[in-house]
Amino acid sequence: MASTTNSSLALSGLASGLDWTNIVNELLTVEKAPETQMNTQIASYQSKNTAYQGIGSQLTQLQSDITTLSDPSFFNSRTTSVSNPNVVSATAAAATPLGTYSFNVIQLATDAVQQGATASAKPLSATDDVTGVVLSSAGFATPVSAGTFTVNGQAVTIAATDTLQSVFTKINTATGGAVTASYNSATDEISLNSSSAIVLGSATDSSNFLQAAQLYNNGTGIITSASSLGGVNLSNPLGNANLATTITDGGSGAGQFLINGVAINYSSDTDSVNDVLERINDSSAGVTATYDSINDSFVLTNKTTGDVGISLQDVTGNFLAATGLTSGSLVRGANMQYKINNGGTQTSQSNTIDGTSAGVAGLSVTATGTGTTSITIGSDVNTISAAISSFVTDYNAAQSYITGQITPTTSTDSSSGTTITAAPLTGDLDTEDIATKLRQLAGNPSASTSAIKSLNDLGILTNGNDNTLSISSTALLNNAITTNLSGVQDLFTNATTGLATQLNTYLTNVNGSNGVLSNDEANMTKQVTAINDSITTLNARITADGTRLTNEFVAMETAINSINTQKQYLNTYFGSSTASSNAAPQAASSSSSSSG
């Protein structure tokens, strides 16, 4: 607190001897006393707001359950049971007619395949002479790696710079002339010959020559490559991909071909085979393009099943011709053939048939094998029962929470006796009305003509001690759903008297943006704001009063200090005058005595 006078005099009692600082503090403490009560009120309002918010959360969860149960289509949920799941799988949409249907899958649908011509790659050599075929540049489908491989237990070490003929020579030398090797340009294959069984490879081999040459043990003295060895280099530019027919793009880098009418563009200088295959697969042509290294051929497979063809046309360049696709053959796809309920044979390009094809609205069947099976469509008793049980659980949680917010608690102490403590919303009529209204709506009988007129008919009973519900018999609930689904549906969804319909409307009004809970929360927040404003005003006044009182006491100290200073001066002054008067007569007496 600031002073408008000399700060040295602000020390309490410096001049007056009065401890006025303590007096000022006690006066301000008394003046601040109402703030304690105000803070208590704020805490009370905030507790109420927390309770309102908690009730709102409980009712929101409850309304989620009620929203589900108020939808008539929910009670049309279906389950499917398949007697032979190896033949078909099935799903049923809501309201699919109940019943059992037989299916006989005669033939599955398959996809059409355009099988390109084989031997699309260049052979390793145009002649049987392979003295000029260097391993590093030879057109093996799998590139050969340098290192060591084993023939008849003898190590053969090769380098990338070796020719194929020098490898043959090393095999012969390592085996002491027991094994000879040769190349057949007509079949593009390597042969190993010996008078006794040849044994190839060991666990310590570091070169893949035997695998690249497709030479595998057969227990005899003659081993020949499993298939032609020349392969397409998928990563080289198209013009250098080791194809038997070189791919061209018309010389402009703007090659183009059509698959099912979809244009695929390419450049023989910059695109690789992999680039073009990926471009085909990502297009809307509806096929998957691959290279079969075993058969040395390109393959197009329809992405959809059924007996449909694949159209091919080179526009600019020769990609389709060079890859053997246009000279290949189409392996036709098959349509699915099936019977329903022993009716006539039906066909489908797909292995999945919808309700229209099956003749059962909402039923979808996917065939996975051939044979006969039955599909039973029933009400989804478990899902409906679980939703009703969830409603009961969340209804009880809401009612129990409300009870906890309005019911006082008691405690007993040997010295103070019994103490009753109010809950945050004790006496709150809005909250008590919510609990009462929920109980009334849950217990009201329906006007339905069905045998199911209330929750009691589902085995759901009210508790005589509080506002909660209990499921006395799950079997009774499930039986009601199974035998009288329409009655259960009407109990919850009837537009006028439906339990879920009425509760949904009520909770929207209570817990909505303009509902009673929202209004009560807003009122509590407004009260807290008003009290905080009052506390701010009170503290400002206390600060001003403290400054004023301090300044007044300091002024008093200043005045007293001034009086004390004057008093000291007067005492000093008058004390000096008295001493001078007494000294004069003595001097006169001495003078007289001297002259006598």
Side-chain angles (χ1 to χ4, degrees):
M1 291 176 287
S3 173
T4 58
T5 59
N6 192 326
S7 61
S8 64
L9 296 176
L11 297 175
S12 181
L14 186 63
S16 65
L18 178 66
D19 186 8
W20 53 264
T21 298
N22 189 51
I23 295 173
V24 170
N25 289 337
E26 290 181 354
L27 290 173
L28 297 182
T29 299
V30 172
E31 192 173 357
K32 193 176 181 65
E35 184 177 350
T36 300
Q37 184 178 1
M38 293 179 184
N39 284 326
T40 300
Q41 288 179 310
I42 288 176
S44 174
Y45 291 146
Q46 289 175 334
S47 293
K48 289 184 177 181
N49 248 359
T50 299
Y52 288 138
Q53 292 164 2
I55 293 173
S57 296
Q58 295 288 336
L59 296 184
T60 296
Q61 180 59 46
L62 175 60
Q63 190 167 19
S64 176
D65 300 328
I66 290 170
T67 299
T68 298
L69 293 173
S70 64
D71 181 7
S73 66
F74 171 72
F75 292 88
N76 291 326
S77 301
R78 297 291 186 255
T79 60
T80 57
S81 175
V82 179
S83 64
N84 188 349
N86 293 323
V87 175
V88 301
S89 61
T91 60
T96 298
L98 303 178
T100 299
Y101 307 89
S102 66
F103 276 77
N104 178 12
V105 180
I106 303 168
Q107 174 180 283
L108 290 175
T110 60
D111 42 29
V113 176
Q114 180 70 23
Q115 183 69 56
T118 58
S120 59
K122 290 179 182 178
L124 298 184
S125 174
T127 68
D128 293 350
D129 181 5
V130 289
T131 56
V133 178
V134 180
L135 293 182
S136 61
S137 58
F140 281 95
T142 302
V144 176
S145 61
T148 299
F149 63 92
T150 307
V151 179
N152 283 353
Q154 303 302 312
V156 179
T157 302
I158 62 174
T161 55
D162 285 345
T163 66
L164 189 55
Q165 183 59 53
S166 67
V167 175
F168 292 168
T169 300
K170 289 182 178 182
I171 293 173
N172 186 259
T173 300
T175 60
V179 179
T180 60
S182 62
Y183 171 75
N184 186 338
S185 59
T187 60
D188 191 27
E189 296 172 345
I190 294 173
S191 293
L192 300 180
N193 292 271
S194 177
S195 59
S196 59
I198 301 172
V199 179
L200 300 178
S202 75
T204 59
D205 286 357
S206 58
S207 170
N208 69 338
F209 177 82
L210 295 175
Q211 290 75 30
Q214 299 185 45
L215 296 170
Y216 308 109
N217 288 305
N218 61 13
T220 73
I222 301 175
I223 300 177
T224 303
S225 299
S227 63
S228 59
L229 298 178
V232 176
N233 190 312
L234 302 179
S235 58
N236 277 0
L238 292 172
N240 188 31
N242 200 47
L243 283 158
T245 301
T246 303
I247 294 177
T248 64
D249 57 17
S252 61
Q256 186 182 87
F257 57 90
L258 303 179
I259 298 180
N260 293 332
V262 176
I264 307 296
N265 300 313
Y266 67 93
S267 167
S268 60
D269 293 330
T270 58
D271 287 324
S272 67
V273 174
N274 276 336
D275 292 334
V276 179
L277 295 183
E278 182 177 358
R279 203 165 295 156
I280 295 171
N281 295 337
D282 291 342
S283 74
S284 59
V287 298
T288 300
T290 56
Y291 171 67
D292 180 357
S293 61
I294 301 300
N295 294 311
D296 187 21
S297 64
F298 288 85
V299 180
L300 298 179
T301 305
N302 269 340
K303 292 182 179 179
T304 57
T305 56
D307 187 7
V308 293
I310 301 174
S311 65
L312 302 170
Q313 180 185 351
D314 274 319
V315 178
T316 303
N318 66 341
F319 182 90
L320 295 177
T323 54
L325 286 169
T326 50
S327 59
S329 59
L330 177 68
V331 179
R332 291 172 53 188
N335 292 325
M336 175 186 173
Q337 295 182 3
Y338 62 98
K339 293 181 180 181
I340 300 177
N341 289 340
N342 296 317
T345 300
Q346 302 183 56
T347 62
S348 169
Q349 288 184 350
S350 168
N351 285 316
T352 297
I353 56 176
D354 58 19
T356 301
S357 302
V360 182
L363 178 63
S364 177
V365 179
T366 299
T368 55
T370 58
T372 59
T373 185
S374 63
I375 301 174
T376 300
I377 302 170
S379 296
D380 193 352
V381 175
N382 291 338
T383 296
I384 297 171
S385 177
I388 295 174
S389 297
S390 179
F391 155 71
V392 172
T393 298
D394 290 331
Y395 174 90
N396 289 342
Q399 287 284 33
S400 297
Y401 186 85
I402 292 173
T403 299
Q405 302 307 308
I406 63 177
T407 305
T409 57
T410 60
S411 60
T412 303
D413 184 85
S414 58
S415 58
S416 59
T418 300
T419 302
I420 299 177
T421 303
L425 299 178
T426 297
D428 187 287
L429 297 181
D430 287 341
T431 304
E432 293 177 358
D433 183 65
I434 292 173
T436 301
K437 188 64 175 178
L438 287 176
R439 182 181 69 250
Q440 290 173 347
L441 290 173
N444 281 347
S446 169
S448 172
T449 57
S450 166
I452 298 176
K453 298 183 181 299
S454 69
L455 292 177
N456 283 355
D457 296 322
L458 302 181
I460 301 173
L461 308 178
T462 57
N463 190 319
N465 299 321
D466 52 38
N467 292 326
T468 60
L469 302 170
S470 62
I471 300 178
S472 63
S473 173
T474 302
L476 181 59
L477 172 60
N478 291 343
N479 182 66
I481 296 171
T482 302
T483 61
N484 193 356
L485 180 61
S486 61
V488 176
Q489 176 179 336
D490 192 66
L491 172 67
F492 285 98
T493 68
N494 186 283
T496 304
T497 62
L499 170 63
T501 303
Q502 294 182 83
L503 278 170
N504 202 19
T505 300
Y506 173 68
L507 290 178
T508 298
N509 293 333
V510 168
N511 205 30
S513 58
N514 294 318
V516 62
L517 286 176
S518 179
N519 291 335
D520 285 343
E521 284 185 53
N523 183 51
M524 292 300 102
T525 301
K526 184 178 180 181
Q527 296 289 347
V528 170
T529 300
I531 294 174
N532 278 326
D533 289 343
S534 296
I535 291 175
T536 299
T537 301
L538 174 64
N539 285 330
R541 186 174 71 247
I542 291 172
T543 299
D545 288 347
T547 300
R548 177 179 56 77
L549 289 171
T550 297
N551 287 341
E552 289 176 353
F553 276 108
V554 170
M556 178 192 74
E557 293 284 350
T558 301
I560 293 174
N561 183 64
S562 178
I563 293 171
N564 287 338
T565 300
Q566 293 176 4
K567 177 180 177 182
Q568 183 179 5
Y569 170 77
L570 291 174
N571 286 338
T572 302
Y573 175 78
F574 285 109
S576 299
S577 298
T578 301
S580 299
S581 297
N582 291 333
Q586 292 176 2
S589 175
S590 296
S591 177
S592 297
S593 177
S594 174
S595 51

